[in-house]
Protein backbone atom coordinates (compact mmCIF):
# COMPACT_ATOMS: atom_id res chain seq x y z
CA UNK A 1 0.00 0.00 0.00
CA UNK A 2 1.33 3.41 -0.98
CA UNK A 3 1.54 6.00 1.77
CA UNK A 4 -0.44 9.09 0.83
CA UNK A 5 1.07 12.48 1.71
CA UNK A 6 -0.11 13.99 4.95
CA UNK A 7 0.26 17.64 5.88
CA UNK A 8 -0.12 18.70 9.48
CA UNK A 9 -1.64 22.20 9.63
CA UNK A 10 0.42 24.86 11.35
CA UNK A 11 -2.50 26.97 12.57
CA UNK A 12 -5.22 25.48 14.80
CA UNK A 13 -8.60 24.82 13.22
CA UNK A 14 -12.00 25.31 14.83
CA UNK A 15 -13.57 21.86 14.62
CA UNK A 16 -17.07 23.39 14.42
CA UNK A 17 -16.08 25.21 11.22
CA UNK A 18 -16.74 22.52 8.60
CA UNK A 19 -15.28 24.55 5.73
CA UNK A 20 -12.06 25.26 7.65
CA UNK A 21 -11.72 21.59 8.57
CA UNK A 22 -12.21 20.53 4.95
CA UNK A 23 -9.66 23.08 3.70
CA UNK A 24 -7.11 21.99 6.30
CA UNK A 25 -7.43 18.32 5.32
CA UNK A 26 -5.10 18.61 2.36
CA UNK A 27 -3.68 15.13 2.96
CA UNK A 28 -7.09 13.45 2.91
CA UNK A 29 -6.77 11.97 6.39
CA UNK A 30 -10.49 12.36 7.18
CA UNK A 31 -11.48 10.69 3.92
CA UNK A 32 -9.03 7.86 4.58
CA UNK A 33 -10.43 7.32 8.08
CA UNK A 34 -13.97 7.21 6.66
CA UNK A 35 -13.22 4.32 4.28
CA UNK A 36 -13.30 1.48 6.82
CA UNK A 37 -16.70 0.32 5.58
CA UNK A 38 -15.48 0.41 1.99
CA UNK A 39 -12.51 -1.76 2.94
CA UNK A 40 -14.83 -4.35 4.48
CA UNK A 41 -17.03 -4.39 1.35
CA UNK A 42 -14.03 -4.71 -0.96
CA UNK A 43 -12.68 -7.66 1.03
CA UNK A 44 -16.09 -9.33 1.02
CA UNK A 45 -16.29 -8.83 -2.75
CA UNK A 46 -12.92 -10.51 -3.26
CA UNK A 47 -14.00 -13.47 -1.13
CA UNK A 48 -17.30 -13.79 -3.03
CA UNK A 49 -15.29 -13.87 -6.28
CA UNK A 50 -13.48 -16.97 -5.04
CA UNK A 51 -10.28 -15.54 -3.59
CA UNK A 52 -10.45 -18.09 -0.75
CA UNK A 53 -12.26 -20.88 -2.60
CA UNK A 54 -9.32 -23.24 -2.10
CA UNK A 55 -9.87 -23.11 1.65
CA UNK A 56 -13.56 -24.03 1.59
CA UNK A 57 -14.06 -27.25 3.52
CA UNK A 58 -10.40 -27.41 4.57
CA UNK A 59 -9.64 -28.58 8.08
CA UNK A 60 -6.12 -27.33 8.77
CA UNK A 61 -3.98 -28.38 11.68
CA UNK A 62 -3.58 -24.68 12.56
CA UNK A 63 -4.14 -21.19 11.18
CA UNK A 64 -0.96 -19.12 11.56
CA UNK A 65 -1.29 -15.34 11.22
CA UNK A 66 2.03 -13.67 10.43
CA UNK A 67 1.66 -9.98 11.26
CA UNK A 68 4.89 -8.33 12.41
CA UNK A 69 3.70 -4.73 12.82
CA UNK A 70 1.15 -2.01 12.17
CA UNK A 71 -2.64 -2.38 11.96
CA UNK A 72 -2.19 -5.99 10.87
CA UNK A 73 -0.52 -6.77 14.19
CA UNK A 74 -3.39 -5.19 16.13
CA UNK A 75 -5.96 -7.03 14.00
CA UNK A 76 -4.08 -10.27 14.71
CA UNK A 77 -4.21 -9.42 18.40
CA UNK A 78 -7.96 -9.06 18.14
CA UNK A 79 -8.16 -12.46 16.44
CA UNK A 80 -6.05 -13.91 19.24
CA UNK A 81 -8.60 -12.65 21.76
CA UNK A 82 -11.25 -14.66 19.88
CA UNK A 83 -9.15 -17.85 19.63
CA UNK A 84 -11.24 -19.65 22.25
CA UNK A 85 -14.23 -19.47 19.88
CA UNK A 86 -12.33 -20.73 16.83
CA UNK A 87 -12.66 -24.37 15.80
CA UNK A 88 -9.00 -24.60 14.78
CA UNK A 89 -5.85 -23.67 16.70
CA UNK A 90 -4.86 -20.06 16.01
CA UNK A 91 -1.24 -18.91 16.22
CA UNK A 92 -0.03 -15.30 15.99
CA UNK A 93 3.61 -14.88 14.96
CA UNK A 94 5.96 -12.12 13.72
CA UNK A 95 7.28 -14.45 10.99
CA UNK A 96 6.52 -17.91 9.62
CA UNK A 97 7.39 -20.51 12.30
CA UNK A 98 9.71 -23.34 11.25
CA UNK A 99 7.16 -26.04 12.11
CA UNK A 100 4.46 -25.09 9.58
CA UNK A 101 3.72 -27.59 6.81
CA UNK A 102 1.16 -28.79 4.27
CA UNK A 103 -1.52 -29.18 6.95
CA UNK A 104 -1.46 -25.51 7.95
CA UNK A 105 -2.94 -22.26 6.63
CA UNK A 106 -0.60 -19.28 6.87
CA UNK A 107 -1.95 -15.73 6.59
CA UNK A 108 0.75 -13.14 5.88
CA UNK A 109 -0.67 -9.71 6.69
CA UNK A 110 0.83 -6.26 6.37
CA UNK A 111 0.83 -3.00 4.45
CA UNK A 112 4.41 -2.72 3.21
CA UNK A 113 5.06 -4.67 0.01
CA UNK A 114 8.79 -4.11 0.46
CA UNK A 115 9.02 -5.51 3.99
CA UNK A 116 11.73 -8.22 3.90
CA UNK A 117 10.20 -10.00 6.90
CA UNK A 118 6.90 -10.39 5.06
CA UNK A 119 8.67 -11.50 1.87
CA UNK A 120 10.69 -14.14 3.75
CA UNK A 121 7.57 -15.30 5.56
CA UNK A 122 5.70 -15.81 2.29
CA UNK A 123 8.64 -17.64 0.74
CA UNK A 124 9.10 -19.88 3.79
CA UNK A 125 5.42 -20.81 3.98
CA UNK A 126 5.25 -21.55 0.24
CA UNK A 127 8.36 -23.75 0.38
CA UNK A 128 6.78 -25.73 3.21
CA UNK A 129 3.70 -26.24 1.02
CA UNK A 130 1.25 -24.54 3.35
CA UNK A 131 -1.87 -22.86 2.02
CA UNK A 132 -0.75 -19.22 2.06
CA UNK A 133 -3.05 -16.18 2.11
CA UNK A 134 -1.29 -12.87 1.46
CA UNK A 135 -3.07 -9.59 2.29
CA UNK A 136 -0.09 -7.35 1.46
CA UNK A 137 -0.26 -5.02 -1.59
CA UNK A 138 0.41 -7.08 -4.72
CA UNK A 139 3.78 -5.57 -5.65
CA UNK A 140 7.44 -5.57 -4.72
CA UNK A 141 9.37 -8.37 -2.99
CA UNK A 142 6.28 -9.78 -1.28
CA UNK A 143 4.51 -10.31 -4.61
CA UNK A 144 7.67 -11.85 -6.07
CA UNK A 145 7.89 -14.28 -3.15
CA UNK A 146 4.33 -15.46 -3.78
CA UNK A 147 4.58 -15.52 -7.60
CA UNK A 148 1.16 -17.03 -8.27
CA UNK A 149 1.54 -19.72 -5.60
CA UNK A 150 -0.56 -17.97 -2.94
CA UNK A 151 -4.13 -16.84 -2.35
CA UNK A 152 -3.86 -13.10 -2.80
CA UNK A 153 -6.16 -10.63 -1.05
CA UNK A 154 -4.43 -7.30 -1.72
CA UNK A 155 -6.13 -4.03 -0.72
CA UNK A 156 -8.65 -2.70 -3.24
CA UNK A 157 -9.36 0.58 -1.47
CA UNK A 158 -6.52 3.08 -1.16
CA UNK A 159 -6.12 4.44 2.37
CA UNK A 160 -3.30 5.58 4.60
CA UNK A 161 -1.26 2.67 5.92
CA UNK A 162 -2.37 3.20 9.52
CA UNK A 163 -6.06 3.00 8.50
CA UNK A 164 -5.89 -0.64 7.36
CA UNK A 165 -7.25 -2.17 10.57
CA UNK A 166 -10.74 -2.83 9.16
CA UNK A 167 -9.36 -4.54 6.05
CA UNK A 168 -7.11 -6.84 8.07
CA UNK A 169 -9.91 -7.78 10.47
CA UNK A 170 -12.23 -8.50 7.53
CA UNK A 171 -9.60 -10.66 5.83
CA UNK A 172 -8.65 -12.63 8.94
CA UNK A 173 -12.26 -13.32 9.90
CA UNK A 174 -12.97 -14.43 6.31
CA UNK A 175 -10.10 -16.95 6.45
CA UNK A 176 -11.25 -18.31 9.80
CA UNK A 177 -14.84 -18.58 8.55
CA UNK A 178 -13.64 -20.45 5.44
CA UNK A 179 -11.90 -23.17 7.47
CA UNK A 180 -14.38 -23.15 10.36
CA UNK A 181 -18.02 -22.49 9.35
CA UNK A 182 -18.93 -22.10 13.02
CA UNK A 183 -16.74 -19.00 13.21
CA UNK A 184 -19.27 -16.57 11.78
CA UNK A 185 -19.28 -12.80 12.26
CA UNK A 186 -22.35 -12.28 10.11
CA UNK A 187 -23.06 -10.53 6.83
CA UNK A 188 -20.08 -8.34 5.81
CA UNK A 189 -22.43 -5.91 4.03
CA UNK A 190 -24.36 -5.40 7.27
CA UNK A 191 -21.12 -4.85 9.18
CA UNK A 192 -19.94 -2.36 6.54
CA UNK A 193 -23.25 -0.49 6.79
CA UNK A 194 -22.81 -0.26 10.53
CA UNK A 195 -19.27 1.10 10.21
CA UNK A 196 -20.41 3.55 7.53
CA UNK A 197 -23.17 4.78 9.84
CA UNK A 198 -20.55 5.46 12.50
CA UNK A 199 -18.34 7.27 9.98
CA UNK A 200 -21.29 9.45 8.96
CA UNK A 201 -21.51 10.67 12.55
CA UNK A 202 -17.89 11.85 12.23
CA UNK A 203 -18.51 14.04 9.17
CA UNK A 204 -16.92 17.48 9.27
CA UNK A 205 -20.37 19.13 9.06
CA UNK A 206 -21.52 17.54 12.36
CA UNK A 207 -21.01 19.77 15.40
CA UNK A 208 -18.61 18.78 18.17
CA UNK A 209 -21.33 18.03 20.73
CA UNK A 210 -23.01 15.58 18.32
CA UNK A 211 -19.83 14.20 16.74
CA UNK A 212 -18.18 11.50 18.89
CA UNK A 213 -14.86 11.73 17.02
CA UNK A 214 -14.67 15.53 17.29
CA UNK A 215 -15.66 15.30 20.95
CA UNK A 216 -12.83 12.86 21.65
CA UNK A 217 -10.39 15.01 19.71
CA UNK A 218 -11.29 18.12 21.69
CA UNK A 219 -10.71 16.19 24.91
CA UNK A 220 -7.38 14.75 23.82
CA UNK A 221 -5.75 17.71 22.06
CA UNK A 222 -2.81 19.16 24.01
CA UNK A 223 -2.94 16.52 26.75
CA UNK A 224 -0.97 13.46 27.74
CA UNK A 225 -3.13 10.50 26.87
CA UNK A 226 -3.63 7.01 28.29
CA UNK A 227 -5.98 4.67 26.42
CA UNK A 228 -7.08 1.63 28.41
CA UNK A 229 -9.15 -1.41 27.47
CA UNK A 230 -11.62 -3.17 29.74
CA UNK A 231 -10.77 -6.60 28.30
CA UNK A 232 -8.41 -8.43 25.97
CA UNK A 233 -10.08 -7.34 22.72
CA UNK A 234 -10.66 -3.80 23.99
CA UNK A 235 -6.99 -3.52 25.00
CA UNK A 236 -5.91 -4.43 21.46
CA UNK A 237 -8.22 -1.69 20.23
CA UNK A 238 -6.67 0.72 22.75
CA UNK A 239 -3.25 -0.09 21.31
CA UNK A 240 -4.59 0.68 17.85
CA UNK A 241 -5.96 3.99 19.11
CA UNK A 242 -2.59 4.96 20.61
CA UNK A 243 -0.86 4.03 17.37
CA UNK A 244 -3.14 6.08 15.11
CA UNK A 245 -2.81 9.08 17.42
CA UNK A 246 0.96 8.89 17.02
CA UNK A 247 0.95 8.19 13.27
CA UNK A 248 -1.80 10.69 12.41
CA UNK A 249 -1.26 13.59 14.80
CA UNK A 250 2.17 13.02 16.36
CA UNK A 251 0.53 12.67 19.79
CA UNK A 252 2.36 10.32 22.12
CA UNK A 253 -0.22 8.16 23.87
CA UNK A 254 0.17 5.12 26.09
CA UNK A 255 -2.06 2.06 25.97
CA UNK A 256 -2.66 -0.45 28.72
CA UNK A 257 -5.20 -2.71 30.33
CA UNK A 258 -7.72 -0.93 32.54
CA UNK A 259 -6.55 -3.06 35.48
CA UNK A 260 -3.04 -1.59 35.18
CA UNK A 261 -4.33 1.98 35.40
CA UNK A 262 -6.45 1.12 38.43
CA UNK A 263 -3.42 -0.51 40.10
CA UNK A 264 -1.34 2.64 39.48
CA UNK A 265 -3.96 4.77 41.23
CA UNK A 266 -4.00 2.42 44.22
CA UNK A 267 -0.19 2.46 44.43
CA UNK A 268 0.69 6.06 43.57
CA UNK A 269 -2.54 8.00 44.02
CA UNK A 270 -2.90 9.12 40.40
CA UNK A 271 -1.93 8.29 36.83
CA UNK A 272 0.94 10.39 35.50
CA UNK A 273 1.44 12.60 38.53
CA UNK A 274 -0.50 15.67 39.63
CA UNK A 275 -0.83 19.31 38.73
CA UNK A 276 1.06 22.15 40.34
CA UNK A 277 -1.29 22.30 43.29
CA UNK A 278 -0.64 18.65 44.06
CA UNK A 279 -4.30 17.77 43.71
CA UNK A 280 -4.11 15.93 40.41
CA UNK A 281 -6.84 18.17 39.01
CA UNK A 282 -4.71 20.25 36.65
CA UNK A 283 -2.51 23.29 36.58
CA UNK A 284 -2.97 25.86 39.33
CA UNK A 285 -4.59 29.17 38.38
CA UNK A 286 -1.56 30.92 39.94
CA UNK A 287 0.78 29.46 37.36
CA UNK A 288 2.10 31.95 34.78
CA UNK A 289 4.54 30.49 32.24
CA UNK A 290 6.00 33.95 31.56
CA UNK A 291 7.26 34.42 35.12
CA UNK A 292 7.94 30.80 36.05
CA UNK A 293 11.53 30.08 37.16
CA UNK A 294 12.39 26.38 37.31
CA UNK A 295 15.13 26.94 39.93
CA UNK A 296 12.88 28.96 42.25
CA UNK A 297 9.41 27.58 41.54
CA UNK A 298 10.34 24.01 40.76
CA UNK A 299 9.37 21.94 37.71
CA UNK A 300 6.72 23.35 35.43
CA UNK A 301 3.29 21.87 36.14
CA UNK A 302 1.57 19.64 33.60
CA UNK A 303 -2.04 18.93 32.86
CA UNK A 304 -3.28 15.61 34.26
CA UNK A 305 -3.37 12.65 31.94
CA UNK A 306 -6.49 12.33 29.82
CA UNK A 307 -7.71 8.75 30.28
CA UNK A 308 -9.87 7.01 27.70
CA UNK A 309 -11.31 3.58 28.41
CA UNK A 310 -12.35 1.52 25.42
CA UNK A 311 -15.19 -0.74 26.51
CA UNK A 312 -17.04 -3.58 24.82
CA UNK A 313 -18.59 -4.86 28.04
CA UNK A 314 -22.40 -4.92 27.61
CA UNK A 315 -22.83 -3.97 31.27
CA UNK A 316 -22.21 -0.23 31.34
CA UNK A 317 -22.68 0.05 35.10
CA UNK A 318 -19.92 -2.50 35.69
CA UNK A 319 -17.50 -0.50 33.54
CA UNK A 320 -18.42 2.76 35.28
CA UNK A 321 -17.73 1.18 38.68
CA UNK A 322 -14.31 -0.03 37.53
CA UNK A 323 -13.22 3.35 36.17
CA UNK A 324 -14.60 5.38 39.09
CA UNK A 325 -11.29 5.19 40.96
CA UNK A 326 -9.52 6.89 38.03
CA UNK A 327 -11.46 10.12 38.41
CA UNK A 328 -12.25 11.91 35.16
CA UNK A 329 -12.42 9.24 32.45
CA UNK A 330 -13.95 9.16 28.98
CA UNK A 331 -15.53 5.76 28.35
CA UNK A 332 -15.50 4.99 24.63
CA UNK A 333 -18.20 2.45 23.81
CA UNK A 334 -20.79 1.74 21.14
CA UNK A 335 -24.02 2.01 23.10
CA UNK A 336 -23.98 5.80 22.81
CA UNK A 337 -25.14 5.42 19.20
CA UNK A 338 -28.10 7.75 18.78
CA UNK A 339 -31.55 6.32 18.34
CA UNK A 340 -32.42 8.75 15.55
CA UNK A 341 -31.85 6.25 12.75
CA UNK A 342 -28.21 7.17 12.18
CA UNK A 343 -27.21 3.57 12.85
CA UNK A 344 -28.91 0.40 11.59
CA UNK A 345 -30.84 -1.57 14.16
CA UNK A 346 -29.37 -4.89 15.23
CA UNK A 347 -31.05 -7.99 16.62
CA UNK A 348 -30.61 -8.87 20.29
CA UNK A 349 -27.67 -11.13 21.04
CA UNK A 350 -28.37 -14.41 22.83
CA UNK A 351 -26.81 -14.30 26.27
CA UNK A 352 -27.14 -10.55 26.74
CA UNK A 353 -29.44 -9.93 29.68
CA UNK A 354 -32.41 -7.72 28.98
CA UNK A 355 -31.95 -4.16 30.12
CA UNK A 356 -28.16 -4.40 30.25
CA UNK A 357 -27.52 -3.09 26.75
CA UNK A 358 -28.05 0.62 26.17
CA UNK A 359 -30.23 2.10 23.41
CA UNK A 360 -28.66 1.69 20.01
CA UNK A 361 -26.12 -0.81 21.30
CA UNK A 362 -24.53 -3.07 18.73
CA UNK A 363 -25.59 -6.66 19.11
CA UNK A 364 -25.75 -9.49 16.66
CA UNK A 365 -27.55 -12.74 16.14
CA UNK A 366 -24.14 -14.30 15.71
CA UNK A 367 -23.30 -14.23 19.41
CA UNK A 368 -20.12 -13.15 21.21
CA UNK A 369 -17.61 -13.28 18.34
CA UNK A 370 -19.84 -11.33 15.97
CA UNK A 371 -20.65 -8.73 18.59
CA UNK A 372 -17.01 -8.25 19.58
CA UNK A 373 -15.82 -7.87 15.98
CA UNK A 374 -18.56 -5.38 15.14
CA UNK A 375 -17.96 -3.29 18.23
CA UNK A 376 -14.22 -3.20 17.60
CA UNK A 377 -14.65 -2.14 13.97
CA UNK A 378 -17.03 0.66 14.92
CA UNK A 379 -14.80 1.93 17.72
CA UNK A 380 -11.70 1.68 15.52
CA UNK A 381 -13.43 3.95 12.99
CA UNK A 382 -14.18 6.41 15.80
CA UNK A 383 -10.63 6.41 17.15
CA UNK A 384 -9.15 6.87 13.67
CA UNK A 385 -11.47 9.81 12.94
CA UNK A 386 -10.68 11.34 16.34
CA UNK A 387 -6.95 11.16 15.59
CA UNK A 388 -7.58 12.89 12.26
CA UNK A 389 -9.40 15.71 14.01
CA UNK A 390 -6.59 16.05 16.56
CA UNK A 391 -4.21 16.57 13.64
CA UNK A 392 -6.45 19.11 11.99
CA UNK A 393 -7.01 20.95 15.27
CA UNK A 394 -3.27 21.49 15.61
CA UNK A 395 -1.78 18.08 16.50
CA UNK A 396 0.64 18.42 19.39
Amino acid sequence: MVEMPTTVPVTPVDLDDAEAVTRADRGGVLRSAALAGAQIRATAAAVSEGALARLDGARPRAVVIVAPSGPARRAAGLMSSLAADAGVPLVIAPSTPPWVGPLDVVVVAGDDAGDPVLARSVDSAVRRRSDVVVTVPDEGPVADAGAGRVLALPPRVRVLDHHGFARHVATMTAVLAAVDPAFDVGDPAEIADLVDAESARHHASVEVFRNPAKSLASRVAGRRVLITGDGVAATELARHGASVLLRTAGVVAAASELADAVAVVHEFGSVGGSGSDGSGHGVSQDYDPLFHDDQIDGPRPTEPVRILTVSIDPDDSSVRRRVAVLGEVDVVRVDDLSGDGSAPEMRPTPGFEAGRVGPGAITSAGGGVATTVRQCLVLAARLEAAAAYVQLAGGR
Side-chain angles (χ1 to χ4, degrees):
M1 188 178 299
V2 179
E3 180 76 23
M4 294 192 296
T6 303
T7 303
V8 179
V10 176
T11 56
V13 173
D14 181 1
L15 294 182
D16 273 329
D17 187 341
E19 291 186 5
V21 169
T22 302
R23 286 195 305 269
D25 189 21
R26 294 183 291 273
V29 66
L30 276 178
R31 178 181 179 278
S32 176
L35 290 175
Q39 294 181 69
I40 297 169
R41 284 192 186 86
T43 300
V47 173
S48 68
E49 294 165 8
L52 299 178
R54 201 164 78 199
L55 298 181
D56 290 342
R59 291 295 178 267
R61 177 179 61 174
V63 173
V64 180
I65 299 179
V66 176
S69 62
R73 185 66 179 177
R74 263 92 63 191
L78 174 60
M79 294 301 103
S80 177
S81 73
L82 305 175
D85 296 286
V88 295
L90 181 62
V91 178
I92 310 300
S95 61
T96 299
W99 49 261
V100 301
L103 300 179
D104 303 306
V105 172
V106 178
V107 181
V108 180
D111 300 286
D112 183 2
D115 188 338
V117 174
L118 294 176
R120 287 195 299 269
S121 294
V122 171
D123 179 68
S124 177
V126 167
R127 284 190 292 104
R128 293 186 175 99
R129 298 166 53 201
S130 301
D131 285 319
V132 185
V133 180
V134 178
T135 72
V136 186
D138 192 16
E139 58 191 20
V142 174
D144 293 340
R149 299 172 294 172
V150 301
L151 304 176
L153 275 174
R156 295 184 173 187
V157 178
R158 188 168 180 254
V159 296
L160 295 168
D161 284 356
H162 46 280
H163 289 157
F165 180 83
R167 176 177 73 87
H168 290 298
V169 170
T171 302
M172 293 173 189
T173 54
V175 170
L176 288 172
V179 300
D180 177 20
F183 190 92
D184 182 18
V185 298
D187 182 5
E190 184 181 348
I191 298 172
D193 287 343
L194 188 65
V195 175
D196 280 344
E198 175 69 13
S199 296
R201 302 172 71 213
H202 308 154
H203 194 272
S205 62
V206 182
E207 303 92 333
V208 170
F209 73 93
R210 295 184 58 199
N211 188 319
K214 284 185 179 180
S215 178
L216 273 181
S218 64
R219 302 276 288 169
V220 165
R223 298 285 289 272
R224 295 176 295 160
V225 181
L226 172 64
I227 309 179
T228 65
D230 68 352
V232 179
T235 301
E236 291 297 334
L237 196 56
R239 294 190 179 103
H240 179 63
S243 175
V244 293
L245 270 175
L246 178 62
R247 288 288 306 275
T248 305
V251 173
V252 178
S256 76
E257 298 176 14
L258 175 58
D260 290 336
V262 171
V264 167
V265 171
H266 286 311
E267 275 193 62
F268 303 108
S270 66
V271 175
S274 59
S276 62
D277 59 359
S279 65
H281 299 295
V283 178
S284 169
Q285 294 182 348
D286 297 331
Y287 170 68
D288 188 333
L290 182 63
F291 298 104
H292 184 88
D293 187 311
D294 291 349
Q295 293 185 346
I296 298 175
D297 302 317
R300 293 175 183 269
T302 58
E303 290 285 352
V305 174
R306 172 68 67 200
I307 303 176
L308 310 179
T309 294
V310 177
S311 173
I312 60 174
D313 188 334
D315 187 356
D316 180 63
S317 61
S318 171
V319 177
R320 300 288 175 181
R321 286 195 298 271
R322 293 179 65 191
V323 303
V325 68
L326 301 178
E328 187 179 3
V329 178
D330 293 286
V331 177
V332 183
R333 56 187 292 120
V334 296
D335 65 0
D336 61 349
L337 290 174
S338 60
D340 58 6
S342 61
E345 294 184 356
M346 310 290 286
R347 297 181 295 279
T349 301
F352 277 19
E353 295 181 19
R356 291 182 60 183
V357 182
I362 296 176
T363 58
S364 163
V369 170
T371 301
T372 298
V373 169
R374 292 172 184 222
Q375 288 181 346
C376 287
L377 287 170
V378 167
L379 293 180
R382 187 180 306 177
L383 292 169
E384 290 172 3
Y389 281 119
V390 172
Q391 183 205 98
L392 298 174
R396 291 182 282 194

